PDB file of all heavy atoms in Angstrom:
ATOM      1  N   LEU N 141      16.145 -23.517  -2.353  1.00  0.00           N
ATOM      2  CA  LEU N 141      16.848 -22.288  -1.858  1.00  0.00           C
ATOM      3  C   LEU N 141      16.706 -21.086  -2.822  1.00  0.00           C
ATOM      4  O   LEU N 141      16.459 -19.988  -2.385  1.00  0.00           O
ATOM      5  CB  LEU N 141      18.290 -22.627  -1.577  1.00  0.00           C
ATOM      6  CG  LEU N 141      18.576 -23.504  -0.382  1.00  0.00           C
ATOM      7  CD1 LEU N 141      20.067 -23.869  -0.327  1.00  0.00           C
ATOM      8  CD2 LEU N 141      18.109 -22.894   0.865  1.00  0.00           C
ATOM      9  N   GLN N 142      16.833 -21.373  -4.093  1.00  0.00           N
ATOM     10  CA  GLN N 142      16.717 -20.288  -5.124  1.00  0.00           C
ATOM     11  C   GLN N 142      15.293 -19.789  -5.101  1.00  0.00           C
ATOM     12  O   GLN N 142      15.051 -18.556  -5.177  1.00  0.00           O
ATOM     13  CB  GLN N 142      17.070 -20.816  -6.502  1.00  0.00           C
ATOM     14  CG  GLN N 142      18.513 -20.980  -6.722  1.00  0.00           C
ATOM     15  CD  GLN N 142      18.883 -21.514  -8.084  1.00  0.00           C
ATOM     16  OE1 GLN N 142      17.995 -21.925  -8.898  1.00  0.00           O
ATOM     17  NE2 GLN N 142      20.167 -21.528  -8.439  1.00  0.00           N
ATOM     18  N   LEU N 143      14.296 -20.652  -5.026  1.00  0.00           N
ATOM     19  CA  LEU N 143      12.910 -20.180  -5.046  1.00  0.00           C
ATOM     20  C   LEU N 143      12.560 -19.429  -3.823  1.00  0.00           C
ATOM     21  O   LEU N 143      11.868 -18.419  -3.849  1.00  0.00           O
ATOM     22  CB  LEU N 143      11.949 -21.422  -5.218  1.00  0.00           C
ATOM     23  CG  LEU N 143      11.948 -22.089  -6.559  1.00  0.00           C
ATOM     24  CD1 LEU N 143      11.145 -23.370  -6.556  1.00  0.00           C
ATOM     25  CD2 LEU N 143      11.399 -21.123  -7.611  1.00  0.00           C
ATOM     26  N   GLU N 144      13.042 -19.866  -2.658  1.00  0.00           N
ATOM     27  CA  GLU N 144      12.824 -19.117  -1.377  1.00  0.00           C
ATOM     28  C   GLU N 144      13.465 -17.744  -1.501  1.00  0.00           C
ATOM     29  O   GLU N 144      12.857 -16.805  -0.991  1.00  0.00           O
ATOM     30  CB  GLU N 144      13.385 -19.935  -0.221  1.00  0.00           C
ATOM     31  CG  GLU N 144      12.486 -21.133   0.157  1.00  0.00           C
ATOM     32  CD  GLU N 144      13.144 -21.998   1.201  1.00  0.00           C
ATOM     33  OE1 GLU N 144      14.332 -21.837   1.487  1.00  0.00           O
ATOM     34  OE2 GLU N 144      12.390 -22.825   1.788  1.00  0.00           O
ATOM     35  N   ALA N 145      14.637 -17.645  -2.044  1.00  0.00           N
ATOM     36  CA  ALA N 145      15.305 -16.360  -2.184  1.00  0.00           C
ATOM     37  C   ALA N 145      14.456 -15.438  -3.108  1.00  0.00           C
ATOM     38  O   ALA N 145      14.316 -14.271  -2.840  1.00  0.00           O
ATOM     39  CB  ALA N 145      16.702 -16.500  -2.743  1.00  0.00           C
ATOM     40  N   ARG N 146      13.946 -16.026  -4.173  1.00  0.00           N
ATOM     41  CA  ARG N 146      13.145 -15.218  -5.089  1.00  0.00           C
ATOM     42  C   ARG N 146      11.831 -14.766  -4.464  1.00  0.00           C
ATOM     43  O   ARG N 146      11.371 -13.639  -4.618  1.00  0.00           O
ATOM     44  CB  ARG N 146      12.856 -16.066  -6.402  1.00  0.00           C
ATOM     45  CG  ARG N 146      12.026 -15.330  -7.411  1.00  0.00           C
ATOM     46  CD  ARG N 146      12.762 -14.162  -7.975  1.00  0.00           C
ATOM     47  NE  ARG N 146      11.916 -13.541  -8.978  1.00  0.00           N
ATOM     48  CZ  ARG N 146      11.954 -12.286  -9.309  1.00  0.00           C
ATOM     49  NH1 ARG N 146      12.790 -11.461  -8.727  1.00  0.00           N
ATOM     50  NH2 ARG N 146      11.144 -11.804 -10.241  1.00  0.00           N
ATOM     51  N   VAL N 147      11.226 -15.633  -3.675  1.00  0.00           N
ATOM     52  CA  VAL N 147       9.969 -15.290  -2.967  1.00  0.00           C
ATOM     53  C   VAL N 147      10.265 -14.158  -1.954  1.00  0.00           C
ATOM     54  O   VAL N 147       9.483 -13.182  -1.873  1.00  0.00           O
ATOM     55  CB  VAL N 147       9.357 -16.473  -2.271  1.00  0.00           C
ATOM     56  CG1 VAL N 147       8.278 -16.075  -1.223  1.00  0.00           C
ATOM     57  CG2 VAL N 147       8.800 -17.510  -3.251  1.00  0.00           C
ATOM     58  N   ALA N 148      11.368 -14.222  -1.233  1.00  0.00           N
ATOM     59  CA  ALA N 148      11.727 -13.206  -0.304  1.00  0.00           C
ATOM     60  C   ALA N 148      11.960 -11.820  -1.064  1.00  0.00           C
ATOM     61  O   ALA N 148      11.523 -10.817  -0.590  1.00  0.00           O
ATOM     62  CB  ALA N 148      12.986 -13.567   0.444  1.00  0.00           C
ATOM     63  N   GLU N 149      12.569 -11.919  -2.204  1.00  0.00           N
ATOM     64  CA  GLU N 149      12.793 -10.724  -2.990  1.00  0.00           C
ATOM     65  C   GLU N 149      11.463 -10.131  -3.450  1.00  0.00           C
ATOM     66  O   GLU N 149      11.281  -8.879  -3.353  1.00  0.00           O
ATOM     67  CB  GLU N 149      13.714 -11.086  -4.234  1.00  0.00           C
ATOM     68  CG  GLU N 149      13.985  -9.957  -5.146  1.00  0.00           C
ATOM     69  CD  GLU N 149      14.786 -10.491  -6.345  1.00  0.00           C
ATOM     70  OE1 GLU N 149      15.686 -11.340  -6.197  1.00  0.00           O
ATOM     71  OE2 GLU N 149      14.491  -9.978  -7.439  1.00  0.00           O
ATOM     72  N   LEU N 150      10.535 -10.953  -3.935  1.00  0.00           N
ATOM     73  CA  LEU N 150       9.243 -10.440  -4.388  1.00  0.00           C
ATOM     74  C   LEU N 150       8.453  -9.856  -3.191  1.00  0.00           C
ATOM     75  O   LEU N 150       7.748  -8.911  -3.390  1.00  0.00           O
ATOM     76  CB  LEU N 150       8.443 -11.575  -5.076  1.00  0.00           C
ATOM     77  CG  LEU N 150       9.035 -12.022  -6.425  1.00  0.00           C
ATOM     78  CD1 LEU N 150       8.333 -13.263  -6.949  1.00  0.00           C
ATOM     79  CD2 LEU N 150       8.951 -10.895  -7.455  1.00  0.00           C
ATOM     80  N   GLU N 151       8.486 -10.534  -2.059  1.00  0.00           N
ATOM     81  CA  GLU N 151       7.809  -9.995  -0.897  1.00  0.00           C
ATOM     82  C   GLU N 151       8.357  -8.628  -0.473  1.00  0.00           C
ATOM     83  O   GLU N 151       7.580  -7.726  -0.108  1.00  0.00           O
ATOM     84  CB  GLU N 151       7.969 -10.988   0.300  1.00  0.00           C
ATOM     85  CG  GLU N 151       7.110 -12.202   0.183  1.00  0.00           C
ATOM     86  CD  GLU N 151       5.636 -11.901   0.298  1.00  0.00           C
ATOM     87  OE1 GLU N 151       5.254 -10.998   1.049  1.00  0.00           O
ATOM     88  OE2 GLU N 151       4.853 -12.581  -0.401  1.00  0.00           O
ATOM     89  N   ALA N 152       9.663  -8.471  -0.557  1.00  0.00           N
ATOM     90  CA  ALA N 152      10.244  -7.166  -0.240  1.00  0.00           C
ATOM     91  C   ALA N 152       9.796  -6.094  -1.194  1.00  0.00           C
ATOM     92  O   ALA N 152       9.488  -4.929  -0.822  1.00  0.00           O
ATOM     93  CB  ALA N 152      11.776  -7.286  -0.243  1.00  0.00           C
ATOM     94  N   MET N 153       9.669  -6.465  -2.493  1.00  0.00           N
ATOM     95  CA  MET N 153       9.201  -5.522  -3.521  1.00  0.00           C
ATOM     96  C   MET N 153       7.734  -5.129  -3.229  1.00  0.00           C
ATOM     97  O   MET N 153       7.322  -4.003  -3.406  1.00  0.00           O
ATOM     98  CB  MET N 153       9.363  -6.106  -4.954  1.00  0.00           C
ATOM     99  CG  MET N 153      10.730  -6.190  -5.393  1.00  0.00           C
ATOM    100  SD  MET N 153      10.893  -7.124  -6.930  1.00  0.00           S
ATOM    101  CE  MET N 153       9.843  -6.211  -8.001  1.00  0.00           C
ATOM    102  N   LYS N 154       6.944  -6.139  -2.829  1.00  0.00           N
ATOM    103  CA  LYS N 154       5.507  -5.916  -2.561  1.00  0.00           C
ATOM    104  C   LYS N 154       5.320  -4.902  -1.418  1.00  0.00           C
ATOM    105  O   LYS N 154       4.435  -4.121  -1.397  1.00  0.00           O
ATOM    106  CB  LYS N 154       4.884  -7.239  -2.247  1.00  0.00           C
ATOM    107  CG  LYS N 154       3.440  -7.213  -1.951  1.00  0.00           C
ATOM    108  CD  LYS N 154       2.974  -8.659  -1.688  1.00  0.00           C
ATOM    109  CE  LYS N 154       1.673  -8.673  -0.921  1.00  0.00           C
ATOM    110  NZ  LYS N 154       1.286  -9.992  -0.594  1.00  0.00           N
ATOM    111  N   LYS N 155       6.172  -4.966  -0.421  1.00  0.00           N
ATOM    112  CA  LYS N 155       6.032  -4.117   0.794  1.00  0.00           C
ATOM    113  C   LYS N 155       6.554  -2.694   0.577  1.00  0.00           C
ATOM    114  O   LYS N 155       6.338  -1.858   1.353  1.00  0.00           O
ATOM    115  CB  LYS N 155       6.715  -4.770   1.934  1.00  0.00           C
ATOM    116  CG  LYS N 155       6.014  -6.063   2.396  1.00  0.00           C
ATOM    117  CD  LYS N 155       6.728  -6.685   3.532  1.00  0.00           C
ATOM    118  CE  LYS N 155       6.020  -7.990   3.861  1.00  0.00           C
ATOM    119  NZ  LYS N 155       6.740  -8.733   4.927  1.00  0.00           N
ATOM    120  N   THR N 156       7.286  -2.471  -0.505  1.00  0.00           N
ATOM    121  CA  THR N 156       7.860  -1.163  -0.785  1.00  0.00           C
ATOM    122  C   THR N 156       6.699  -0.242  -1.217  1.00  0.00           C
ATOM    123  O   THR N 156       5.970  -0.553  -2.107  1.00  0.00           O
ATOM    124  CB  THR N 156       8.836  -1.219  -1.881  1.00  0.00           C
ATOM    125  OG1 THR N 156       9.918  -2.143  -1.537  1.00  0.00           O
ATOM    126  CG2 THR N 156       9.524   0.101  -2.192  1.00  0.00           C
ATOM    127  N   THR N 157       6.575   0.892  -0.483  1.00  0.00           N
ATOM    128  CA  THR N 157       5.510   1.806  -0.820  1.00  0.00           C
ATOM    129  C   THR N 157       6.142   3.160  -1.165  1.00  0.00           C
ATOM    130  O   THR N 157       7.224   3.484  -0.711  1.00  0.00           O
ATOM    131  CB  THR N 157       4.562   2.000   0.379  1.00  0.00           C
ATOM    132  OG1 THR N 157       5.283   2.383   1.506  1.00  0.00           O
ATOM    133  CG2 THR N 157       3.861   0.718   0.645  1.00  0.00           C
ATOM    134  N   THR N 158       5.449   3.911  -1.951  1.00  0.00           N
ATOM    135  CA  THR N 158       5.898   5.232  -2.322  1.00  0.00           C
ATOM    136  C   THR N 158       5.304   6.217  -1.350  1.00  0.00           C
ATOM    137  O   THR N 158       4.295   5.945  -0.656  1.00  0.00           O
ATOM    138  CB  THR N 158       5.481   5.631  -3.762  1.00  0.00           C
ATOM    139  OG1 THR N 158       4.021   5.705  -3.769  1.00  0.00           O
ATOM    140  CG2 THR N 158       5.998   4.567  -4.767  1.00  0.00           C
ATOM    141  N   PRO N 159       5.920   7.376  -1.230  1.00  0.00           N
ATOM    142  CA  PRO N 159       5.299   8.424  -0.373  1.00  0.00           C
ATOM    143  C   PRO N 159       3.862   8.742  -0.759  1.00  0.00           C
ATOM    144  O   PRO N 159       3.076   8.987   0.154  1.00  0.00           O
ATOM    145  CB  PRO N 159       6.246   9.611  -0.599  1.00  0.00           C
ATOM    146  CG  PRO N 159       7.557   9.074  -0.981  1.00  0.00           C
ATOM    147  CD  PRO N 159       7.188   7.856  -1.797  1.00  0.00           C
ATOM    148  N   TRP N 160       3.565   8.684  -2.043  1.00  0.00           N
ATOM    149  CA  TRP N 160       2.175   8.996  -2.430  1.00  0.00           C
ATOM    150  C   TRP N 160       1.184   7.912  -1.969  1.00  0.00           C
ATOM    151  O   TRP N 160       0.135   8.230  -1.547  1.00  0.00           O
ATOM    152  CB  TRP N 160       2.090   9.124  -3.973  1.00  0.00           C
ATOM    153  CG  TRP N 160       0.660   9.212  -4.363  1.00  0.00           C
ATOM    154  CD1 TRP N 160      -0.091   8.231  -4.966  1.00  0.00           C
ATOM    155  CD2 TRP N 160      -0.267  10.254  -4.080  1.00  0.00           C
ATOM    156  NE1 TRP N 160      -1.426   8.670  -5.062  1.00  0.00           N
ATOM    157  CE2 TRP N 160      -1.542   9.894  -4.501  1.00  0.00           C
ATOM    158  CE3 TRP N 160      -0.123  11.492  -3.466  1.00  0.00           C
ATOM    159  CZ2 TRP N 160      -2.648  10.719  -4.406  1.00  0.00           C
ATOM    160  CZ3 TRP N 160      -1.277  12.351  -3.383  1.00  0.00           C
ATOM    161  CH2 TRP N 160      -2.491  11.930  -3.888  1.00  0.00           C
ATOM    162  N   GLN N 161       1.616   6.642  -1.968  1.00  0.00           N
ATOM    163  CA  GLN N 161       0.741   5.606  -1.546  1.00  0.00           C
ATOM    164  C   GLN N 161       0.343   5.821  -0.085  1.00  0.00           C
ATOM    165  O   GLN N 161      -0.815   5.618   0.307  1.00  0.00           O
ATOM    166  CB  GLN N 161       1.358   4.230  -1.743  1.00  0.00           C
ATOM    167  CG  GLN N 161       1.440   3.840  -3.226  1.00  0.00           C
ATOM    168  CD  GLN N 161       2.253   2.591  -3.451  1.00  0.00           C
ATOM    169  OE1 GLN N 161       3.262   2.402  -2.796  1.00  0.00           O
ATOM    170  NE2 GLN N 161       1.811   1.749  -4.383  1.00  0.00           N
ATOM    171  N   ILE N 162       1.311   6.230   0.758  1.00  0.00           N
ATOM    172  CA  ILE N 162       0.984   6.486   2.122  1.00  0.00           C
ATOM    173  C   ILE N 162       0.094   7.685   2.294  1.00  0.00           C
ATOM    174  O   ILE N 162      -0.915   7.587   3.009  1.00  0.00           O
ATOM    175  CB  ILE N 162       2.348   6.727   2.916  1.00  0.00           C
ATOM    176  CG1 ILE N 162       3.211   5.475   2.885  1.00  0.00           C
ATOM    177  CG2 ILE N 162       2.094   7.201   4.321  1.00  0.00           C
ATOM    178  CD1 ILE N 162       4.658   5.707   3.324  1.00  0.00           C
ATOM    179  N   LEU N 163       0.366   8.719   1.522  1.00  0.00           N
ATOM    180  CA  LEU N 163      -0.502   9.924   1.620  1.00  0.00           C
ATOM    181  C   LEU N 163      -1.862   9.626   1.083  1.00  0.00           C
ATOM    182  O   LEU N 163      -2.881  10.107   1.593  1.00  0.00           O
ATOM    183  CB  LEU N 163       0.169  11.077   0.815  1.00  0.00           C
ATOM    184  CG  LEU N 163      -0.570  12.425   0.840  1.00  0.00           C
ATOM    185  CD1 LEU N 163      -0.668  12.942   2.283  1.00  0.00           C
ATOM    186  CD2 LEU N 163       0.172  13.446  -0.041  1.00  0.00           C
ATOM    187  N   SER N 164      -1.939   8.809   0.066  1.00  0.00           N
ATOM    188  CA  SER N 164      -3.239   8.482  -0.538  1.00  0.00           C
ATOM    189  C   SER N 164      -4.116   7.731   0.501  1.00  0.00           C
ATOM    190  O   SER N 164      -5.344   8.018   0.584  1.00  0.00           O
ATOM    191  CB  SER N 164      -3.033   7.567  -1.749  1.00  0.00           C
ATOM    192  OG  SER N 164      -4.250   7.116  -2.293  1.00  0.00           O
ATOM    193  N   LYS N 165      -3.538   6.842   1.280  1.00  0.00           N
ATOM    194  CA  LYS N 165      -4.325   6.135   2.290  1.00  0.00           C
ATOM    195  C   LYS N 165      -4.768   7.143   3.391  1.00  0.00           C
ATOM    196  O   LYS N 165      -5.881   7.043   3.882  1.00  0.00           O
ATOM    197  CB  LYS N 165      -3.469   5.013   2.966  1.00  0.00           C
ATOM    198  CG  LYS N 165      -3.288   3.847   2.085  1.00  0.00           C
ATOM    199  CD  LYS N 165      -4.574   3.129   1.938  1.00  0.00           C
ATOM    200  CE  LYS N 165      -4.379   1.842   1.065  1.00  0.00           C
ATOM    201  NZ  LYS N 165      -5.592   1.269   0.656  1.00  0.00           N
ATOM    202  N   GLU N 166      -3.934   8.095   3.716  1.00  0.00           N
ATOM    203  CA  GLU N 166      -4.277   9.112   4.704  1.00  0.00           C
ATOM    204  C   GLU N 166      -5.473   9.969   4.195  1.00  0.00           C
ATOM    205  O   GLU N 166      -6.399  10.255   4.936  1.00  0.00           O
ATOM    206  CB  GLU N 166      -3.123  10.026   5.030  1.00  0.00           C
ATOM    207  CG  GLU N 166      -2.009   9.322   5.819  1.00  0.00           C
ATOM    208  CD  GLU N 166      -0.776  10.183   6.006  1.00  0.00           C
ATOM    209  OE1 GLU N 166      -0.825  11.410   5.717  1.00  0.00           O
ATOM    210  OE2 GLU N 166       0.226   9.645   6.434  1.00  0.00           O
ATOM    211  N   ILE N 167      -5.452  10.299   2.915  1.00  0.00           N
ATOM    212  CA  ILE N 167      -6.583  11.086   2.298  1.00  0.00           C
ATOM    213  C   ILE N 167      -7.889  10.248   2.416  1.00  0.00           C
ATOM    214  O   ILE N 167      -8.920  10.812   2.830  1.00  0.00           O
ATOM    215  CB  ILE N 167      -6.303  11.421   0.825  1.00  0.00           C
ATOM    216  CG1 ILE N 167      -5.092  12.348   0.740  1.00  0.00           C
ATOM    217  CG2 ILE N 167      -7.528  12.023   0.172  1.00  0.00           C
ATOM    218  CD1 ILE N 167      -4.580  12.633  -0.671  1.00  0.00           C
ATOM    219  N   GLU N 168      -7.794   8.982   2.070  1.00  0.00           N
ATOM    220  CA  GLU N 168      -8.961   8.115   2.130  1.00  0.00           C
ATOM    221  C   GLU N 168      -9.527   8.045   3.591  1.00  0.00           C
ATOM    222  O   GLU N 168     -10.731   8.142   3.776  1.00  0.00           O
ATOM    223  CB  GLU N 168      -8.626   6.715   1.674  1.00  0.00           C
ATOM    224  CG  GLU N 168      -8.432   6.642   0.165  1.00  0.00           C
ATOM    225  CD  GLU N 168      -7.987   5.227  -0.271  1.00  0.00           C
ATOM    226  OE1 GLU N 168      -8.176   4.256   0.493  1.00  0.00           O
ATOM    227  OE2 GLU N 168      -7.502   5.165  -1.380  1.00  0.00           O
ATOM    228  N   ASN N 169      -8.632   7.887   4.553  1.00  0.00           N
ATOM    229  CA  ASN N 169      -9.058   7.838   5.969  1.00  0.00           C
ATOM    230  C   ASN N 169      -9.723   9.102   6.399  1.00  0.00           C
ATOM    231  O   ASN N 169     -10.753   9.095   7.093  1.00  0.00           O
ATOM    232  CB  ASN N 169      -7.874   7.507   6.867  1.00  0.00           C
ATOM    233  CG  ASN N 169      -7.342   6.083   6.640  1.00  0.00           C
ATOM    234  OD1 ASN N 169      -8.045   5.258   6.134  1.00  0.00           O
ATOM    235  ND2 ASN N 169      -6.134   5.878   7.024  1.00  0.00           N
ATOM    236  N   GLU N 170      -9.179  10.242   6.002  1.00  0.00           N
ATOM    237  CA  GLU N 170      -9.749  11.545   6.359  1.00  0.00           C
ATOM    238  C   GLU N 170     -11.094  11.767   5.673  1.00  0.00           C
ATOM    239  O   GLU N 170     -12.041  12.267   6.283  1.00  0.00           O
ATOM    240  CB  GLU N 170      -8.768  12.693   6.051  1.00  0.00           C
ATOM    241  CG  GLU N 170      -7.541  12.693   6.943  1.00  0.00           C
ATOM    242  CD  GLU N 170      -7.860  12.861   8.421  1.00  0.00           C
ATOM    243  OE1 GLU N 170      -8.715  13.669   8.770  1.00  0.00           O
ATOM    244  OE2 GLU N 170      -7.283  12.129   9.244  1.00  0.00           O
ATOM    245  N   LEU N 171     -11.159  11.366   4.436  1.00  0.00           N
ATOM    246  CA  LEU N 171     -12.425  11.537   3.721  1.00  0.00           C
ATOM    247  C   LEU N 171     -13.514  10.616   4.260  1.00  0.00           C
ATOM    248  O   LEU N 171     -14.708  10.970   4.249  1.00  0.00           O
ATOM    249  CB  LEU N 171     -12.219  11.234   2.245  1.00  0.00           C
ATOM    250  CG  LEU N 171     -11.503  12.371   1.458  1.00  0.00           C
ATOM    251  CD1 LEU N 171     -11.280  11.941   0.030  1.00  0.00           C
ATOM    252  CD2 LEU N 171     -12.251  13.677   1.478  1.00  0.00           C
ATOM    253  N   ASP N 172     -13.106   9.511   4.765  1.00  0.00           N
ATOM    254  CA  ASP N 172     -14.097   8.580   5.416  1.00  0.00           C
ATOM    255  C   ASP N 172     -14.822   9.257   6.612  1.00  0.00           C
ATOM    256  O   ASP N 172     -15.981   9.011   6.873  1.00  0.00           O
ATOM    257  CB  ASP N 172     -13.444   7.290   5.926  1.00  0.00           C
ATOM    258  CG  ASP N 172     -13.107   6.306   4.827  1.00  0.00           C
ATOM    259  OD1 ASP N 172     -13.723   6.464   3.738  1.00  0.00           O
ATOM    260  OD2 ASP N 172     -12.259   5.419   5.010  1.00  0.00           O
ATOM    261  N   LYS N 173     -14.132  10.165   7.262  1.00  0.00           N
ATOM    262  CA  LYS N 173     -14.690  10.868   8.444  1.00  0.00           C
ATOM    263  C   LYS N 173     -15.651  11.969   7.975  1.00  0.00           C
ATOM    264  O   LYS N 173     -16.479  12.417   8.754  1.00  0.00           O
ATOM    265  CB  LYS N 173     -13.537  11.458   9.273  1.00  0.00           C
ATOM    266  CG  LYS N 173     -12.638  10.454   9.857  1.00  0.00           C
ATOM    267  CD  LYS N 173     -11.476  11.142  10.531  1.00  0.00           C
ATOM    268  CE  LYS N 173     -10.392  10.217  10.944  1.00  0.00           C
ATOM    269  NZ  LYS N 173      -9.211  10.840  11.523  1.00  0.00           N
ATOM    270  N   VAL N 174     -15.472  12.464   6.755  1.00  0.00           N
ATOM    271  CA  VAL N 174     -16.237  13.632   6.295  1.00  0.00           C
ATOM    272  C   VAL N 174     -17.376  13.289   5.336  1.00  0.00           C
ATOM    273  O   VAL N 174     -18.475  13.926   5.399  1.00  0.00           O
ATOM    274  CB  VAL N 174     -15.233  14.624   5.601  1.00  0.00           C
ATOM    275  CG1 VAL N 174     -15.953  15.880   5.079  1.00  0.00           C
ATOM    276  CG2 VAL N 174     -14.174  15.057   6.583  1.00  0.00           C
ATOM    277  N   ILE N 175     -17.155  12.306   4.463  1.00  0.00           N
ATOM    278  CA  ILE N 175     -18.129  12.043   3.446  1.00  0.00           C
ATOM    279  C   ILE N 175     -18.625  10.616   3.588  1.00  0.00           C
ATOM    280  O   ILE N 175     -17.823   9.739   3.689  1.00  0.00           O
ATOM    281  CB  ILE N 175     -17.489  12.269   2.026  1.00  0.00           C
ATOM    282  CG1 ILE N 175     -17.035  13.754   1.885  1.00  0.00           C
ATOM    283  CG2 ILE N 175     -18.524  11.926   0.913  1.00  0.00           C
ATOM    284  CD1 ILE N 175     -16.270  13.995   0.643  1.00  0.00           C
ATOM    285  N   GLU N 176     -19.929  10.427   3.532  1.00  0.00           N
ATOM    286  CA  GLU N 176     -20.520   9.109   3.739  1.00  0.00           C
ATOM    287  C   GLU N 176     -20.524   8.276   2.423  1.00  0.00           C
ATOM    288  O   GLU N 176     -20.251   7.106   2.453  1.00  0.00           O
ATOM    289  CB  GLU N 176     -21.939   9.226   4.283  1.00  0.00           C
ATOM    290  CG  GLU N 176     -22.059   9.930   5.628  1.00  0.00           C
ATOM    291  CD  GLU N 176     -22.068  11.490   5.453  1.00  0.00           C
ATOM    292  OE1 GLU N 176     -22.409  12.013   4.374  1.00  0.00           O
ATOM    293  OE2 GLU N 176     -21.659  12.158   6.401  1.00  0.00           O
ATOM    294  N   LYS N 177     -20.959   8.853   1.335  1.00  0.00           N
ATOM    295  CA  LYS N 177     -21.135   8.129   0.088  1.00  0.00           C
ATOM    296  C   LYS N 177     -19.810   7.853  -0.537  1.00  0.00           C
ATOM    297  O   LYS N 177     -18.932   8.695  -0.717  1.00  0.00           O
ATOM    298  CB  LYS N 177     -22.024   8.928  -0.872  1.00  0.00           C
ATOM    299  CG  LYS N 177     -23.447   9.097  -0.348  1.00  0.00           C
ATOM    300  CD  LYS N 177     -24.270   9.841  -1.397  1.00  0.00           C
ATOM    301  CE  LYS N 177     -25.682  10.051  -0.939  1.00  0.00           C
ATOM    302  NZ  LYS N 177     -26.466  10.834  -1.884  1.00  0.00           N
ATOM    303  N   HIS N 178     -19.623   6.530  -0.976  1.00  0.00           N
ATOM    304  CA  HIS N 178     -18.387   6.070  -1.578  1.00  0.00           C
ATOM    305  C   HIS N 178     -18.087   6.824  -2.835  1.00  0.00           C
ATOM    306  O   HIS N 178     -16.940   7.273  -3.072  1.00  0.00           O
ATOM    307  CB  HIS N 178     -18.484   4.594  -1.860  1.00  0.00           C
ATOM    308  CG  HIS N 178     -17.292   4.044  -2.557  1.00  0.00           C
ATOM    309  ND1 HIS N 178     -16.054   3.898  -1.904  1.00  0.00           N
ATOM    310  CD2 HIS N 178     -17.067   3.653  -3.825  1.00  0.00           C
ATOM    311  CE1 HIS N 178     -15.140   3.425  -2.767  1.00  0.00           C
ATOM    312  NE2 HIS N 178     -15.770   3.309  -3.919  1.00  0.00           N
TER     313      HIS N 178
END
């Protein structure tokens, strides 16, 4: 039970994203449409 609780806690931390991480992915997606070379 303790290990399952800890795993759930770590999973929740893993899914937490910052506003910049979301914006960063949006930038990458938009650049994929404009620039071919990685």
Side-chain angles (χ1 to χ4, degrees):
L141 289 173
Q142 287 179 350
L143 289 172
E144 286 175 345
R146 180 65 177 150
V147 167
E149 180 183 320
L150 291 172
E151 285 292 326
M153 289 172 57
K154 180 178 158 185
K155 292 179 183 175
T156 303
T157 57
T158 65
W160 171 254
Q161 289 171 321
I162 296 167
L163 185 58
S164 177
K165 286 292 182 192
E166 291 175 11
I167 294 170
E168 288 176 17
N169 292 338
E170 291 300 316
L171 287 175
D172 283 341
K173 298 173 189 174
V174 178
I175 301 174
E176 300 82 24
K177 294 182 181 177
H178 176 74

